Amino acid sequence: GAGVSQSPRYKVAKRGQDVALRCDPISGHVSLFWYQQALGQGPEFLTYFQNEAQLDKSGLPSDRFFAERPEGSVSTLKIQRTQQEDSAVYLCASSFGTSRVGRYTFGSGTRLTVV
Amino acid sequence: AQSVSQHNHHVILSEAASLELGCNYSYGGTVNLFWYVQYPGQHLQLLLKYFSGDPLVKGIKGFEAEFIKSKFSFNLRKPSVQWSDTAEYFCAVKREYGNKLVFGAGTILRVKS
């Protein structure tokens, strides 16, 4: 497609439930990023993939967060045993080149609300 | 750790007023600098970026930004705003060979018609 597609757009989860958020990057884009944006804040880096390799996961807040990109295209961010502080918009971004290029296209995000 | 500070969280201007949004960062090495905009209901879009060369960068829709290395600043400017510039603006910094963008908290701009 023409842009980065994320699904679902909205997700309400009960505390303790597991969720999976999907990102379809622009076809051919090598780099893929996940960011978390809490209300009233800027996006915060979670993790970075170059093709199928997860090169940086330093921003994942706990071991409840897990991301994968098994075939180097679609990526899934999984959150286990969700907690209220996980409520945020989760943004995916992709880039044709490596992270050094810096030209990112963002998706519209998934708004996760944990109740 | 890197951090990015945006000076104003909310700015309200009348149409045709001039705009300047402040951005300061705290990393001493070589950086790449970005301004992103998020219009209501839309995704983040790149306004402009600085990698090297002329420190005065021109972006889309009449926006420009000036990189002042000695002040660790990358302020966004527009001489005359329009109602359609109502949006949230984010400054972001990346280390030259780093992976991640570090964003400021954002500035919500409302332009009154």
Side-chain angles (χ1 to χ4, degrees), chain B residues 56-74:
Chain B
L56 184 61
V57 180
K58 295 194 184 297
I60 61 171
K61 304 186 179 185
F63 286 90
E64 64 179 32
E66 185 176 13
F67 170 50
I68 302 180
K69 189 174 181 179
S70 61
K71 294 185 177 180
F72 298 88
S73 71
F74 190 56

Side-chain angles (χ1 to χ4, degrees), chain A residues 37 40-44, chain B residues 2-11 19-26 33-38 44 47 63 72-77 87-93 101-109:
Chain A
Q37 186 174 15
Q41 301 296 319
E44 291 196 7
Chain B
Q2 286 174 276
S3 67
V4 177
S5 175
Q6 291 186 238
H7 306 165
N8 307 96
H9 197 54
H10 284 93
V11 173
L19 170 72
E20 181 159 2
L21 301 183
C23 173
N24 286 88
Y25 63 93
S26 67
L33 297 154
F34 306 80
W35 276 97
Y36 281 86
V37 60
Q38 187 166 27
L44 278 167
L47 261 184
F63 286 90
F72 298 88
S73 71
F74 190 56
N75 292 353
L76 181 71
R77 301 194 291 249
E88 189 162 14
Y89 293 81
F90 292 93
C91 180
V93 174
L101 291 172
V102 177
F103 285 85
T107 296
I108 298 170
L109 171 66

Side-chain angles (χ1 to χ4, degrees), chain A:
Chain A
V4 176
S5 176
Q6 292 188 245
S7 61
R9 285 296 308 273
Y10 303 93
K11 176 70 179 177
V12 178
K14 291 185 178 178
R15 192 166 38 186
Q17 187 178 355
D18 297 349
V19 299
L21 312 179
R22 177 185 170 104
C23 173
D24 276 276
I26 293 173
S27 179
H29 275 200
V30 167
S31 297
L32 185 146
F33 303 80
W34 284 98
Y35 286 83
Q36 180 191 57
Q37 186 174 15
L39 191 63
Q41 301 296 319
E44 291 196 7
F45 172 82
L46 292 177
T47 187
Y48 161 62
F49 290 86
Q50 190 174 115
N51 295 308
E52 70 278 3
Q54 189 174 21
L55 298 187
D56 187 348
K57 54 182 180 179
S58 62
L60 296 176
S62 76
D63 59 7
R64 296 185 298 103
F65 286 71
F66 172 76
E68 59 183 4
R69 193 186 185 198
E71 297 176 358
S73 56
V74 171
S75 177
T76 304
L77 176 67
K78 297 179 180 177
I79 309 173
Q80 297 177 322
R81 305 180 305 281
T82 52
Q83 301 177 4
Q84 282 194 314
E85 61 262 31
D86 300 335
S87 295
V89 175
Y90 290 86
L91 297 171
C92 179
S94 70
S95 173
F96 179 73
T98 64
S99 63
R100 290 177 55 181
V101 173
R103 186 181 291 275
Y104 310 102
T105 302
F106 281 84
S108 296
T110 294
R111 182 178 296 277
L112 173 65
T113 303
V114 181
V115 298

